[in-house]
Each structure stands twice: as structure tokens, then as C-alpha cells.
Amino acid sequence: RVAFLESLDDDDDARAVVDVQRGLAHALGRWRGRALSPSKSVMAAVYGEGGHYKRHRDNDVERDTGVPQNPRALTVIFYATPEDWDDDHDGGHLRFYPHDDGWKSNGGLLGDKDDDDDGRRSLGGKGKKINNNNNQAANNSEAEEPYIDVAPRPGRLVVFDSFFGHEVLPPRRDRSALTFWIYADYSDLDRPPKADGRGAD
């Protein structure tokens, strides 16, 4: 179940999320060489038992032009799962593929001169899992492609590059989250991106 919330002024929790969104955009200032701004809506998503969202990217670039498909630069997820959420039993992890970068693989025009040295490579390794009490990564040697599993713990805030591949693994009970995006200014590119692209993390 997914709903886009356009007016957030009447809800204290939603306003707090918007404050975080604006604060992140202001604190980061720029991403991949672009000025940032908060989006105007928040997506509320609830996955029931066995629900899943297949692997995707929240933004991508057109192969022929190198222009982003929409304004999204960063994806921010706030988990509103029950306080007694059990990482191992309840599941519902966000599986994040740090080497699946649609900007790099499709020749984007966004222009990080030092993109190979920005720390993203440190996320590699086979099958990292972030769900235990001290948030250390645990290796899963059976994985063929590097990934990171992030448990949807209550109150956890996850921020990642919208051009990276990710999916939602099935939970064993209702898994609730608020998702919003921080936009980048691509207005100087040959063909401006579409107004938005909607997904359901």
C-alpha cells in the first residue's frame, strides 16, 4: 500500500521528516556537482507479509543523452516499524547494491571528477548485512554480487544515492516507511528530466 502525501503541515511526525529532508539538502549543499533542494512530497508505504519491491533505481540516465530521467539525487527512508521489530525474524530488509550505479554505467553527465575516490568502493565485499545491535556489517559468502542488507529498524534513517540499485525484501509482518527524495538541479543539461519518478521503498 502506497500513498503520496503532498500536504504535511497537519502532522507533527510528517513535519519532523520534512525538517530532516530540508536539513540534509542544506547540509550537503551539492551532490555529484549539483545544487540540492528538498522534494515537495513524502511517500508512505506499508508492505504486508510477503510483500516485495523488485530491484530498481529511483533515478537513471538516458543511455543516448546521459541526462537523468528525473530530478532525484538522494533517496531518504525513515522506518516506522513496530518497536519490537526483530531483524532476523521479521525481515523486510532494504537490499542495496552499491556497485549498481546507473550514473556510472550509463555515462551520466553529472560530473564527479573524483568519483572513483569518494568512498563508495568501501561498501563492497560480498553480502554485507547491517542489522545487529552495533550495526557492524556481517559477511555472507554465498552472495555472487556485492550487496548490503539494511534492517528496517524503528526510527532508522537511511540515505543513499538515487542512482544505485536496490530492492525491498519480503517482511513477515507489516513494514511501514516514509520515503522522500532530495532533488538536484539538472536545468543546464540539454534535455531537462521529467518532473518526478515514483517508486515505493
Side-chain angles (χ1 to χ4, degrees), residues 83-96:
E83 288 294 330
D84 62 346
W85 192 268
D86 184 291
D87 299 338
D88 294 321
H89 179 267
D90 294 327
H93 289 63
L94 173 71
R95 177 160 290 179
F96 172 68

Side-chain angles (χ1 to χ4, degrees), residues 3 5 8 11 13-18 42-46 75-80 156-158 175-181 201:
L5 310 175
L8 306 173
D11 185 279
D13 292 334
R15 276 200 306 272
V17 171
V18 171
V42 172
M43 183 187 70
V46 178
T75 300
V76 184
I77 303 173
F78 176 78
Y79 292 111
R156 174 170 276 172
L157 188 76
V158 180
R175 168 198 184 276
S176 303
L178 295 175
T179 301
F180 59 86
W181 293 270
D201 298 313

Side-chain angles (χ1 to χ4, degrees), residues 11-90:
D11 185 279
D12 289 341
D13 292 334
R15 276 200 306 272
V17 171
V18 171
D19 288 343
V20 169
Q21 176 188 28
R22 291 173 179 160
L24 281 170
H26 177 75
L28 291 171
R30 300 179 73 79
W31 188 254
R32 297 193 192 254
R34 299 277 155 179
L36 297 176
S37 63
S39 59
K40 295 181 179 179
S41 64
V42 172
M43 183 187 70
V46 178
Y47 289 86
E49 182 177 0
H52 174 259
Y53 194 170
K54 66 181 181 178
R55 182 171 173 173
H56 65 286
R57 300 174 184 139
D58 288 352
N59 201 354
D60 217 332
V61 297
E62 300 288 349
R63 289 184 180 272
D64 55 340
T65 64
V67 176
Q69 294 177 348
N70 64 64
R72 294 174 176 176
L74 294 169
T75 300
V76 184
I77 303 173
F78 176 78
Y79 292 111
T81 46
E83 288 294 330
D84 62 346
W85 192 268
D86 184 291
D87 299 338
D88 294 321
H89 179 267
D90 294 327

